[in-house]
Amino acid sequence: MKKDYLAIVNFGCGGGSFGRDENIFEAVEGAIRFAVLDFSRYYKLEGSSLFVELFDVTGHEDITWQGGTGYVETTDGDDEVKIDRLKVIQVELPELSGKMKVTGPKFMWQATQAVAKACSEVAA
């Protein structure tokens, strides 16, 4: 069975973003990408740290995020199953420079590089 990871960027009462993939990098990159696209108009994300909570959800289909509790729930059959957080990955987003826009391709490329750096530090 292939692994399945869920990465969540939690913005407290304001919601959050997630990425899900069989590869940790792709899951985290998706969560960061959607956080930037969805929340950059509400929060100043450039130059900040985003904390990505990572869960191993292999074998689970219906996932429910329970806010800041540190776990997700899934219903397998009639039973609720709590899935504990594997780790928290800190991603340092770049500062804006020149005519760069927070949702533009140059910023997003640099954000992807920051995700790669953060994931490699976690793997080491």
Side-chain angles (χ1 to χ4, degrees):
M1 175 183 292
K2 290 183 179 181
K3 285 288 198 179
D4 190 12
Y5 295 101
L6 176 65
I8 299 173
V9 177
N10 186 18
F11 285 97
C13 295
S17 298
F18 74 94
R20 188 171 179 176
D21 201 278
E22 62 190 44
N23 179 296
I24 290 175
F25 169 79
E26 295 293 333
V28 173
E29 195 270 338
I32 292 292
R33 178 175 298 278
F34 288 118
V36 169
L37 292 173
D38 294 343
F39 290 94
S40 63
R41 69 189 90 165
Y42 306 112
Y43 302 103
K44 182 184 180 297
L45 299 180
E46 61 277 5
S48 67
S49 294
L50 290 184
F51 295 90
V52 183
E53 299 183 68
L54 184 66
F55 299 86
D56 182 348
V57 294
T58 303
H60 302 289
E61 291 297 319
D62 297 320
I63 305 292
T64 304
W65 170 239
Q66 296 297 324
T69 60
Y71 63 84
V72 296
E73 290 182 346
T74 182
T75 304
D76 295 331
D78 291 329
D79 299 327
E80 279 188 1
V81 178
K82 292 181 181 177
I83 303 170
D84 291 325
R85 178 175 55 214
L86 287 176
K87 59 186 76 175
V88 176
I89 300 171
Q90 182 176 354
V91 178
E92 301 287 338
L93 292 178
E95 292 281 348
L96 292 177
S97 62
K99 294 183 179 181
M100 215 177 4
K101 294 182 181 176
V102 72
T103 58
K106 188 172 181 181
F107 181 85
M108 295 305 263
W109 182 83
Q110 288 182 4
T112 299
Q113 298 306 305
V115 168
K117 180 181 178 202
C119 287
S120 69
E121 289 172 357
V122 167

